[in-house]
Amino acid sequence: MSPDEYERTEPIIGLEVHCQLRTEAKLFSAAPAEGASGEAANTRTAPLDLGHPGTLPVVNEKAVELALRLASVTGCRVAERSTFARKHYFYPDLAKGYQITQRADPLCYDGQVDVPADAATEAPTARPDGRPRARPVRIRRLHLEEDAAKLVHEDGATKADFNRAGVPLVELVTEPDLRSPREAALFLKKIRRQVRYLGVSDGRMEAGSLRCDANVSLRRRGGGALGGRVEIKNLNSFRHLERALRYEAARQARRVERGAAVEPETRRWDEDTEKTRPLRDKETTLDYRYLPEPDLPPLVVDEAMLKNVRASMPERPGERKKRFVENIGLPERAAALLTEDRALADFYEETVSRLYKLTGGGNTRRQAERAAHFLLNEGRRVLSEQGVPIDALPVRPQQMAELVYMLLEDDLPGARAAAEVFEALLAGEGDDPEQIARDNDLLQIGGGREELAPLVERTLERHSKNVHRYKSGKTELIHSFVGEVRSAFEEEHEGTPDPKLIREMIEERLN
Ligand code: ADP
Ligand code: MG
């Protein structure tokens, strides 16, 4: 293959995403699904999970409901009737000798999720409006299945921990529509955002709640297969996904270039060497001997259930952002940032509604913007410095509303002081923002324009000579004016005025 031809090849990528559903119980038994990782081994199991004879599976309806939520945001169709199957293989993590999954008739199918097309993959890349083109990724199927147990290798022995056995998963399988490692990562990110937002899964990749197998093959741009499909198993971070695909696509390209065949095979990503390695070759391709599961009736989803899912469905991020812009009056960007995370959006919305009660109305748009601004800037900065996740925030929306109210009323000299109060609230140094501000001498009692205006006036009159020099270029004199207004204020009032505000007022007066 000439270099030219090499340029004209492209990776074809399809993903199989596994996502742990956020249910209390397991998919087919009443054992707790939560805390499956982290708890002492084999403390969260029912006889069914251990493969005891005579036990029978019962489908957890909550798991079905969560899968249907995901189906709804991925545009999938829902099968009125779907069936379960046994997938057989022998491994010590599978006590029954088979995994219950869906095969012939999955719960959901034929969906689509768009991601921004990778600009590097093809030209022309931009739409007429300059935004990146969308890459439509078709979802082939989305089905329910149970997770296997976990093998722990320690102290020279291998132990089986069945806490994970039977935990509910959805598997989402795409068509091979992705065209670059970057697009694959963007796709998985989008899925993660959606499952988290909708309460379908905690989406924690480091804990194994979200993981994926990536399939990649090479073809000539515009068509024509160049090699077999390689499946890379069990990728558990966006970084690994992208790197593994990049490595694998390059490895295949090198083979094609020197005329060698790319064999279909299963590989794994080795984090240490940053290479993919063969896992098993095609000689040992497993025959799973799929059989219909005799212990479970077909899963029937009726209109009442769909209605229930729609009714209990949380608002989607896109809809919420639109509402923040249209009803609350936020700028696009702030609305996008606030709705990125559901806990943040919830906290913000509750704060604003309490803030409106404190202000009694008025310019609600300005109030909402002030709250958004504080939360997205100082608020997030303090949270990240202290390592406090927004969904574990010990500060209540009412307290945040009071804090923002103080800012709006000029009771605090600025956002910096508000951040200090926020930090104290986080540290549990008090309950009442105003009291905290007072205790820490942050309160600006009457340090607003009204109180400052006569002092500014007086200072400038008293120093008319310096005002003249200031006007002819000695602008550093402004510091002395600010200092004087400030001390005058402190003599007459309690607290400290905001030097920035004083400076601003002096400049307004002089320029
Ligand atoms: P199997 O049933 O053997 O697992 P499938 O054809 O169902 O194989 O595909 C499994 C996954 O592999 C899907 O995500 C699909 O998009 C992807 N895939 C299929 N063909 C290709 C290909 N030629 N290149 C890359 N990925 C592919
Ligand atoms: Mg597969």
Side-chain angles (χ1 to χ4, degrees):
M1 193 159 92
S2 72
D4 254 17
E5 276 174 310
Y6 181 77
E7 281 297 303
R8 290 200 290 270
T9 64
E10 64 181 344
I12 301 296
I13 297 166
L15 301 182
E16 295 164 83
V17 179
H18 287 94
C19 174
Q20 179 178 337
L21 297 169
R22 206 166 170 174
T23 57
E24 278 169 31
K26 291 186 176 175
L27 184 53
F28 301 119
S29 83
E34 274 174 306
S37 38
E39 296 291 322
N42 298 311
T43 54
R44 324 213 116 208
T45 58
L48 181 86
D49 311 322
L50 302 171
H52 287 204
T55 53
L56 287 173
V58 178
V59 176
N60 181 345
E61 255 193 51
K62 182 72 190 176
V64 179
E65 188 194 317
L66 294 180
L68 292 178
R69 279 190 193 177
L70 184 55
S72 157
V73 285
T74 50
C76 283
R77 303 168 58 134
V78 176
E80 265 172 58
R81 183 180 173 283
S82 62
T83 56
F84 290 96
R86 291 182 176 184
K87 175 180 178 179
H88 296 87
Y89 61 93
F90 173 77
Y91 204 64
D93 69 359
L94 194 68
K96 299 195 298 297
Y98 58 85
Q99 175 197 29
I100 305 180
T101 178
Q102 297 197 287
R103 171 123 171 128
D105 324 291
L107 179 61
C108 316
Y109 56 96
D110 281 358
Q112 185 177 313
V113 170
D114 290 357
V115 293
D118 188 341
T121 57
E122 64 186 70
T125 53
R127 299 190 303 203
D129 61 4
R131 288 174 44 193
R133 285 209 313 188
R135 171 83 62 206
V137 183
R138 288 165 300 158
I139 310 297
R140 182 184 296 176
R141 56 187 286 147
L142 189 157
H143 69 247
L144 285 166
E145 64 183 36
E146 58 177 343
D147 206 351
K150 195 171 123 192
L151 295 185
V152 189
H153 310 282
E154 59 182 22
D155 309 329
T158 295
K159 300 169 184 169
D161 174 6
F162 281 83
N163 285 353
R164 282 203 79 88
V167 157
L169 304 177
V170 278
E171 179 174 350
L172 179 153
V173 182
T174 76
E175 293 294 341
D177 288 343
L178 293 154
R179 291 292 172 272
S180 81
R182 177 96 202 106
E183 288 181 6
L186 287 177
F187 177 85
L188 193 59
K189 274 190 184 153
K190 186 159 184 182
I191 295 294
R192 187 175 73 152
R193 185 157 63 97
Q194 285 175 328
V195 296
R196 284 165 51 145
Y197 215 93
L198 297 174
V200 166
S201 171
D202 65 24
R204 289 172 56 213
M205 301 191 75
E206 69 287 359
S209 311
L210 184 69
R211 49 194 201 257
C212 90
D213 304 336
N215 299 271
V216 53
S217 67
L218 229 50
R219 78 165 182 198
R220 209 157 256 129
R221 266 183 212 287
L226 285 172
R229 161 168 72 99
V230 169
E231 177 172 7
I232 313 164
K233 281 284 186 197
N234 249 324
L235 295 159
N236 62 1
S237 81
F238 299 120
R239 191 162 162 268
H240 292 163
L241 170 64
E242 199 171 333
R243 290 194 169 213
L245 281 170
R246 194 162 288 149
Y247 174 87
E248 182 55 31
R251 186 189 70 86
Q252 293 180 14
R254 281 195 303 273
R255 286 188 72 86
V256 170
E257 204 174 3
R258 60 168 196 267
V262 179
E263 298 294 336
E265 63 178 339
T266 303
R267 297 173 77 92
R268 67 177 182 88
W269 175 240
D270 184 337
E271 290 167 34
D272 299 329
T273 59
E274 302 231 307
K275 290 184 160 98
T276 62
R277 301 214 165 286
L279 198 61
R280 44 176 122 95
D281 58 44
K282 56 186 187 335
E283 264 98 296
T284 55
T285 296
L286 298 170
D287 177 357
Y288 294 119
R289 292 273 155 176
Y290 281 98
L291 289 177
E293 167 60 62
D295 290 338
L296 282 169
L299 179 57
V300 175
V301 176
D302 56 17
E303 195 44 47
M305 183 154 192
L306 287 174
K307 222 165 133 188
N308 180 30
V309 168
R310 278 194 293 269
S312 69
M313 185 97 158
E315 191 179 22
R316 296 176 200 182
E319 290 165 358
R320 195 164 201 188
K321 179 184 150 207
K322 196 159 161 245
R323 202 162 51 75
F324 278 17
V325 172
E326 285 171 8
N327 300 4
I328 300 185
L330 286 182
E332 282 278 330
R333 196 178 138 69
L337 287 170
L338 285 168
T339 52
E340 185 67 24
D341 183 291
R342 183 160 147 216
L344 180 63
D346 287 346
F347 184 79
Y348 173 74
E349 204 165 3
E350 190 59 35
T351 297
V352 166
S353 90
R354 282 160 192 268
L355 183 59
Y356 293 166
K357 288 207 184 90
L358 291 174
T359 59
N363 188 347
T364 52
R365 189 185 180 123
R366 173 169 167 260
Q367 297 160 14
E369 276 197 44
R370 194 65 179 262
H373 194 264
F374 180 76
L375 209 53
L376 289 172
N377 293 286
E378 284 78 10
R380 281 204 306 192
R381 173 178 60 76
V382 170
L383 288 178
S384 84
E385 278 169 12
Q386 315 244 334
V388 179
I390 184 84
D391 55 2
L393 194 60
V395 176
R396 282 170 277 124
Q398 177 65 30
Q399 294 170 310
M400 182 54 81
E402 285 168 15
L403 188 55
V404 176
Y405 185 57
M406 286 166 71
L407 273 175
L408 285 164
E409 292 286 292
D410 283 330
D411 289 343
L412 288 170
R416 195 177 266 279
E420 277 186 52
V421 175
F422 184 52
E423 265 178 65
L425 283 168
L426 274 182
E429 283 167 25
D431 241 2
D432 175 5
E434 193 176 334
Q435 189 61 44
I436 293 176
R438 183 168 295 122
D439 292 349
N440 291 283
D441 282 332
L442 294 167
L443 223 43
Q444 165 173 276
I445 299 170
R449 287 179 170 265
E450 217 169 294
E451 289 78 9
L452 289 169
L455 302 178
V456 168
E457 210 58 39
R458 203 170 77 199
T459 302
L460 297 181
E461 266 168 34
R462 194 177 287 167
H463 299 285
S464 53
K465 241 196 216 137
N466 278 347
V467 167
H468 192 73
R469 290 167 66 202
Y470 171 88
K471 285 185 171 164
S472 55
K474 276 194 85 62
T475 51
E476 68 274 17
L477 280 168
I478 189 127
H479 299 298
S480 69
F481 301 149
V482 172
E484 178 146 341
V485 171
R486 188 175 166 159
S487 359
F489 180 91
E490 282 168 358
E491 267 168 41
E492 292 171 28
H493 304 80
E494 231 183 291
T496 308
D498 177 12
K500 248 175 48 203
L501 177 61
I502 301 175
R503 187 186 170 120
E504 200 180 289
M505 290 175 71
I506 293 173
E507 281 171 349
E508 276 166 22
R509 179 70 180 56
L510 292 181
N511 300 334

